[in-house]
Amino acid sequence: MKLRLFAGVSVLVMTAGLSACSSSSDTSDDSSDGSTTIDVWLMRDSVSAAFQKDFVQGFETAHPDIKVKVQIQEWDGIGEKVTAALASNDAPDVIETGNTQVAQFAQSGGLLDLSDKVDELGGKDWLKGLAEPGTYDGKQYGIPYYAANRVVIYRTDLFKAAGVDAAAIKTRDQWIAATEKLNTGGTQGIYLPGQTWYALAGFIWDEGGDLAVESGGKWKGSLDTPEAIRGMEFYEKLQALGRGPKDADEANPPQADVMAKGKIAQTIATPGRASVIIENNPELKGKLAFFPIPGKTADTPGAVFTGGSDLVIPTASAKQDAAYTFIRELTGDTWQKKLALAMSYVPNKTTLADAVASDPGAAAMAVGAAEGHATPNTPGWAAVEAKNPIKDYMTAVLTGGDPEKEAAGASEAITTALNSGS
């Protein structure tokens, strides 16, 4: 998924001058000194100007035969732009893409198969939520770049007033009990809009279910399985411990704005939303903290959707070796640690989680990232999100609809969307 979750978030987005950044004054493809120049597309807000400058300088120093020219791309319309580039004879050499977009681009045959590089790149330790959507038809096309996922943002003052110890919340049952205690008087125990479907997906994964499954080469919606219905039952129980709208998602109205204005004990969001809450209500500075979404048992955190980016190489690139060297460096341990600290991201490997231990929000994300998932790995998923019957299903259940009947209807709609282009 493209990481637009962070757009406008000051703690993560430090992009002044980023679009004007270029790594080298050399704008030709091949320099007179025999070096090769590669064109790299990075997405708006994925890195700060400072990090980009440091990395490119470090890379070119370590690899004097390769020069890097970075172009910053906008998320809006990027799918069509990448598709056109992959079909042309003038594709960039490296492209950053949302992790769940890789299958769509790989289906066209426009991406280089990097399966033989997985071991060299430490693939056994990659975050599952980045690595799995980077595959298509059993081959690895996308190399995990960075990740982010949702956590619980909470008001420390309201927790203290209610006598709730956030550190003691390790299971779903403990979370419900604490939220019930917080949901008193004028305080909402949690603000959870009725259509926050990424949160629902996590609860479904916790139960062993999924949004859709593949069988015999066809995809089928699976919200009507017992496991998925149990996930919805938990969502309904949690959502009732606040006054979030049942017919809207977290963007309508922006939940950070809502939390800033009211006495809301918790919300589910990426850690960067905390800065937006504080911007809207400076009195909350120093009163916000984080914990991972709890799981069914204390020894396993709750499953979460892993958003983030992968790096890919177009088959049309004439400089694939240099492009791979760039990817190997940027996704390697040294620069992954620096990126995590600079941008409050989760590194691409589970073994690097300690790199963000000093950042409370990122540390909470890293715990959840170990149980990260992605949406079904099929090019057809874009058609599901376009109409998103999951949201309609959630509202129907929360407003009194029969869960099994509504789940069956939503599953049928997902099945139709997934197979509409097959």
Side-chain angles (χ1 to χ4, degrees):
M1 179 187 180
K2 53 186 179 293
L3 209 61
R4 297 176 71 179
L5 305 170
F6 301 131
V9 183
S10 60
V11 70
L12 295 179
V13 179
M14 302 168 282
T15 57
L18 186 59
S19 60
C21 276
S22 178
S23 61
S24 171
S25 59
D26 176 17
T27 57
S28 64
D29 285 342
D30 295 293
S31 302
S32 58
D33 61 2
S35 64
T36 296
T37 298
I38 58 172
D39 291 312
V40 177
W41 284 7
L42 296 181
M43 299 309 301
R44 169 87 50 200
D45 300 340
S46 69
V47 296
S48 66
F51 177 86
Q52 179 184 314
K53 180 180 179 180
D54 287 347
F55 172 75
V56 171
Q57 288 181 345
F59 177 84
E60 291 185 344
T61 297
H63 304 279
D65 57 330
I66 305 174
K67 304 298 182 183
V68 181
K69 184 168 65 175
V70 174
Q71 298 179 47
I72 301 302
Q73 305 297 322
E74 304 295 337
W75 282 114
D76 288 339
I78 190 60
E80 293 82 359
K81 188 169 184 178
V82 171
T83 298
L86 295 180
S88 74
N89 293 321
D90 190 31
D93 303 294
V94 177
I95 300 175
E96 174 191 345
T97 180
N99 58 329
T100 60
Q101 295 175 323
V102 176
Q104 174 188 349
F105 301 139
Q107 184 186 41
S108 69
L111 299 184
L112 182 66
D113 178 8
L114 296 170
S115 301
D116 63 337
K117 305 297 186 182
V118 172
D119 289 343
E120 179 183 348
L121 296 174
K124 65 181 178 60
D125 297 318
W126 281 341
L127 297 178
K128 183 171 62 175
L130 287 181
E132 288 185 354
T135 66
Y136 177 70
D137 200 23
K139 299 177 180 179
Q140 191 79 42
Y141 294 94
I143 303 304
Y145 179 19
Y146 62 82
N149 48 261
R150 289 162 177 79
V151 300
V152 179
I153 302 176
Y154 72 96
R155 287 267 302 267
T156 57
D157 56 331
L158 297 180
F159 269 57
K160 182 177 180 180
V164 175
D165 179 8
I169 302 175
K170 301 296 184 183
T171 69
R172 277 189 187 178
D173 289 343
Q174 292 169 342
W175 192 19
I176 289 292
T179 305
E180 288 174 340
K181 193 173 182 180
L182 290 156
N183 193 43
T184 58
T187 299
Q188 295 186 54
I190 189 168
Y191 180 79
L192 181 59
Q195 295 182 347
T196 309
W197 69 278
Y198 284 120
L200 170 64
F203 303 148
I204 290 174
W205 291 323
D206 279 341
E207 296 291 346
D210 211 333
L211 305 174
V213 295
E214 185 181 18
S215 177
K218 293 288 186 179
W219 284 88
K220 180 180 184 296
S222 55
L223 292 178
D224 54 345
T225 63
E227 295 84 1
I229 290 175
R230 287 199 300 271
M232 184 62 210
E233 287 172 348
F234 179 78
Y235 188 99
E236 184 175 16
K237 188 175 183 180
L238 185 64
Q239 200 272 340
L241 298 176
R243 297 190 292 275
K246 300 181 188 300
D247 59 351
D249 62 20
E250 62 272 25
N252 299 290
Q255 64 180 2
D257 296 353
V258 177
M259 191 166 182
K261 296 174 183 176
K263 293 181 66 176
I264 296 170
Q266 309 168 84
T267 193
I268 299 173
T270 54
R273 295 291 99 186
S275 68
V276 179
I277 295 169
I278 293 169
E279 286 172 2
N280 288 327
N281 185 358
E283 293 182 2
L284 294 181
K285 186 175 182 179
K287 297 180 180 179
L288 298 179
F290 317 90
F291 62 84
I293 294 174
K296 295 187 70 175
T297 61
D299 58 343
T300 305
V304 292
F305 169 77
T306 302
S309 287
D310 283 12
L311 297 174
V312 300
I313 299 175
T315 54
S317 168
K319 303 164 186 176
Q320 293 175 354
D321 288 344
Y324 172 70
T325 300
F326 177 93
I327 289 178
R328 186 185 65 206
E329 293 288 339
L330 187 51
T331 64
D333 291 3
T334 298
W335 285 102
Q336 279 292 301
K337 291 177 182 178
K338 293 179 179 179
L339 177 65
L341 291 173
M343 302 301 294
S344 294
Y345 289 153
V346 177
N348 62 3
K349 298 185 182 75
T350 57
T351 51
L352 300 178
D354 288 348
V356 293
S358 61
D359 183 322
M365 279 199 299
V367 172
E371 294 297 320
H373 293 250
T375 50
N377 189 17
T378 167
W381 188 255
V384 176
E385 290 197 27
K387 294 185 177 180
N388 212 325
I390 305 173
K391 290 184 175 183
D392 295 335
Y393 156 65
M394 296 171 73
T395 293
V397 173
L398 294 175
T399 54
D402 178 77
E404 294 186 3
K405 178 181 177 182
E406 299 297 344
S411 294
E412 184 177 349
I414 290 173
T415 300
T416 300
L418 287 173
N419 296 293
S420 60
S422 61

